[in-house]
Each structure stands twice: as structure tokens, then as C-alpha cells.
Amino acid sequence: MRVHAIYGPPGTGKTTELLRRVQETKDAGVLPEKIAFMSFTRAAASEALSRLGLKRSDNVSTIHALAFRHLGLQQSQVVDHAKLRDFASVVGIPIIGKSPEDDEERGDGDFYLDLLNYARSTFTHPSEVYDASDRPGTRAEFDMFVRAYAEWKHTYGYYDFTDMLERASKGRVRTGAQVVFVDEAQDLSPLQWDVVDKVCRGAQEVHLAGDDDQAIYTWAGADAHGMARFTQKYKGDHHVLSLSYRLPVAVHARSQELIRRIVFRVDKEFSSKGHVGLVRVHGGVHSVGIQHGEDTLLLGRTHSVLREIEQTLIEQRVPYVRESGRPGMYQNRFAVAVRAYRKLVQGERLTDSDRAAIFNAGTARTRAALEIGDHKTLSQYPFQMALNIPYRMVDFYRDADLDVKPTIRLSTIHAAKGREAERVVLLTDMTTRVGETADRRPDDEIRVWYVGMTRAKHTLDIVEGHNGFRL
């Protein structure tokens, strides 16, 4: 088996290169059904299907979906948020269902699940992982939670995503693939590498694409060095994509200063696309001028860090969208309902989605009028009388221009991976919990901020906070 590793620094197009190789493999005469493509995103898998001229293939999907299909599981067997809420009520430990980016809004059960899945993904005993963590709840409660969770799944025949990977790792995953492609390889855990190893058995060629410098899911068990280990295990070769089509000179230079603080990494020489760009440092968020009309991505380590600047945007009626976490004021269900109601008032034709939005947010009188199609009567009332808009939001929706397309986006760094913007505003403040994690695992934190910095296509604004990460 020949293994080829493609290291793609930010903006160099590693997924594009991998897909080019998929097309090249097909053009060389390998049958599409003999090609496997594993990705973390459905979008990349869909593009691979397109390149292969297929509508679907059991061998082209995310790793979890591949394990799900090959194990013959049913969707009703998969642990989801609703099932977890039922389990939480039984065990008496709250599970909110939030990601680690919402660390201030999570229950002990959320943290326990993270620790348990990390242990299973890295072949570590849960107690060892708990003792090395910041120890949420208590050790006795965590041990009870681990036992109860396993018993609950066994009783009802449920499987979570880690169960699927474990079963695939211990069994046989037969794809019949001659050539295997793996995208975002830096995000694979040791358990996932075991599954990849199974898929690759019998293959003649394997292509891996990733970048250890962008391995930001180590909290979930990702092995930043797994790609290098796999390549070395099979005596493969590696190639570094040498030109970033995104990064300007200034951002490239500043980001390389940061990432080189990590000692154990694959060194990658690559150049920027040529234009100078701009890096600015601010003492606080209020000195950063943010205006509608410029493609701007505001990045925070967690959602809580984004709240202050989001409130400022709301007060100033600056259009924005949130790309992670709860919907923002310009995109939540009230905004959708107000837009639809204004169409009704103006006599425009309503779509089924418009009617549903008004109905879902409407008063009893509004719903009754909608059901009989009495739009004329409805149009006589202002939106705040027709819709159940919280009182504190009425002034905002009266003033805000909801029809303009926002150019300002708010996101956590983790959710922004793979995205880019002309201007990135990086808020370096950290919560206490994130700060403690950064002290224990500084390399992991450096990678997160490196990903944040390298989303910028022209301008990078670094905002130094009271508890900011030193960039």
C-alpha cells in the first residue's frame, strides 16, 4: 500500500487538491465504486460524489456515516439530544447539549460526556482522563455517570457515535476500495485512525490531506501527529502545498511567529499570495471600528466572549449574523416573522415559509386570521400587535433594517474553521476554564489561535483583552 500525505497550510487548498486527485484517479481508469473518500464534512463528500459521477456511494461519506452504514444500524438506535435529555432526567445529572465553546452554559453531564468520549477515542481509562481534567462535579458522580450511561444504552439498544467507531474498529469494514482518500486527517482520533486502517486494508493507494498546525479538536481526542504516524507506519511520502491563496504577507508572517512556538510539528515552508495586507493590535474592542459593508469575521474563543461586541452591534443597529451558537437578532425566528409580516402588510405574495413564520410567532388573533386567509384584516395591525415579540425586542425590530444582507459575521474559532473573510477581528479574551486549559496544554491553544488568525484575507485586527491569549 502506497501512502501519500498532503500537508496543506491555511488557504493552500488541501481539500481542492485531494478532490483533484479523486478526479485524476477516476480518469486513470479506477472504477468509481472502487474509490473511498472519507471526510468530516458532508460538503466535501458531496463534491467527491460529483467528481466520481455518482449520486451516492457507501464508500463516500463522513467517517461516522460510513461506520453507521457498514454496521447496519437504524437511525432510531442513534443517541441524539432528545434521548440524552431523557437519560439526564433519569440519572439526575443535567445535560444541556451545548458544545465546549459554550463552557459557561453547560451542565456537568455535558462535561462528563466529553471526558468519556475523549477516553474512549484515545484508548484511555475514563478515570485517568477525569483526574487529568479540571474535574467538573465529583469523581464519584462521574464514575456513576459512566456506568449508568453504558447501562442505559445497553438497555435500550442505543449507540452513540463513539460506539459506532468502536464496533467498526473491532470488526470488519469492507469497502473493496482500491484507492482511499481521507480529508482533514489532522482531526482524526486514535480510534478513528483504527477505522481508517481497516478501510485501507486491501487498498493499493491512500491519499491523506491535513495540517497538524490546524488540529484544533484535541479536546475531543484528535491526534495532531496521527497523520505523520500513519505515513511513517506505511513508509509513505509527503508533499507540502506551497502557496496560500488566502494569506497576505503581514498575516502570514505574524501567524508563522505564533505557530513556531510549537516544537513538535511538521515544518511547512509556504508563501503568501503576495499582497502586503495589514495586522493591527488594539487594547480593547471599542477602538475597533466595525461598519456594515465590509466582509468582516468577528472571532472569539467561546460564545461568551462575543456577547459584548454583539450587544454593541445590536444597540447601534449594525446588521450581523451569528455563524455558531444561537441565532442572532437578524436571523432568529422573530426576525423571520417580522420580515414575513412586512411582506403581508405591503400586499406581497407570501410563501408557505412566510405563513409558517407568522403563524409560529403570531398571536391567537393572527393565527385565526391566517387560517381563513384574512390578510386584509391582519395588515391593519403593526407587527408588535400581530406577533408575540418580546417587549425588550420591539424597539429593535421597529428600527432595524431586516432586508439588508449583513456583511458582519460572528463565530467561535472552532466553528470558523474552513472559512475566511477580508477582515478578521480576533478577540483574544479567554474564560477562566479556557485559560486553565491553555496553561495545561499550551500547544493545543496555540493551534486554535493560529486557525483564527489565518482566516484573514487582507486585514487582521487583534484585540487584547483583560485575560487575552498572548499572540
Side-chain angles (χ1 to χ4, degrees), residues 279-468:
V279 176
R280 299 179 291 207
V281 179
H282 306 262
V285 70
H286 295 295
S287 67
V288 182
I290 300 174
Q291 297 181 346
H292 171 69
E294 183 179 14
D295 178 27
T296 303
L297 182 59
L298 294 162
L299 293 179
R301 184 63 175 79
T302 58
H303 288 127
S304 61
V305 173
L306 295 167
R307 285 179 182 165
E308 179 183 356
I309 199 162
E310 181 180 13
Q311 187 58 40
T312 299
L313 295 174
I314 291 171
E315 292 171 357
Q316 298 178 358
R317 307 299 191 255
V318 178
Y320 75 95
V321 294
R322 290 189 61 133
E323 295 194 329
S324 63
R326 59 173 176 76
M329 291 286 281
Y330 285 81
Q331 62 194 130
N332 63 19
R333 70 185 185 93
F334 301 118
V336 175
V338 171
R339 284 193 195 95
Y341 190 76
R342 286 176 178 170
K343 287 176 64 176
L344 181 149
V345 170
Q346 293 166 8
E348 298 180 27
R349 183 176 180 179
L350 299 183
T351 65
D352 289 342
S353 296
D354 291 331
R355 280 187 285 273
I358 295 172
F359 187 88
N360 291 335
T363 63
R365 180 176 60 188
T366 296
R367 292 184 174 191
L370 274 178
E371 286 177 340
I372 62 174
D374 187 3
H375 293 186
K376 183 177 180 180
T377 299
L378 266 184
S379 64
Q380 299 174 9
Y381 301 104
F383 76 87
Q384 62 267 34
M385 293 181 63
L387 304 173
N388 286 313
I389 303 292
Y391 180 76
R392 68 183 186 280
M393 297 182 181
V394 169
D395 285 345
F396 173 84
Y397 287 117
R398 182 186 293 117
D399 302 338
D401 184 353
L402 298 179
D403 295 321
V404 68
K405 183 178 180 180
T407 63
I408 297 169
R409 295 170 283 152
L410 275 64
S411 176
T412 60
I413 297 173
H414 283 87
K417 189 175 180 183
R419 298 176 184 173
E420 59 186 18
E422 289 295 323
R423 181 189 185 192
V424 168
V425 178
L426 196 59
L427 309 173
T428 64
D429 258 338
M430 299 183 294
T431 62
T432 300
R433 188 182 296 276
V434 171
E436 292 171 350
T437 302
D439 289 339
R440 290 197 308 270
R441 306 179 68 172
D443 286 359
D444 292 346
E445 200 62 23
I446 287 172
R447 294 187 188 99
V448 172
W449 293 104
Y450 176 73
V451 167
M453 295 175 76
T454 55
R455 303 307 93 196
K457 296 169 64 177
H458 185 273
T459 303
L460 172 64
D461 287 300
I462 299 172
V463 181
E464 296 180 333
H466 299 296
N467 185 35

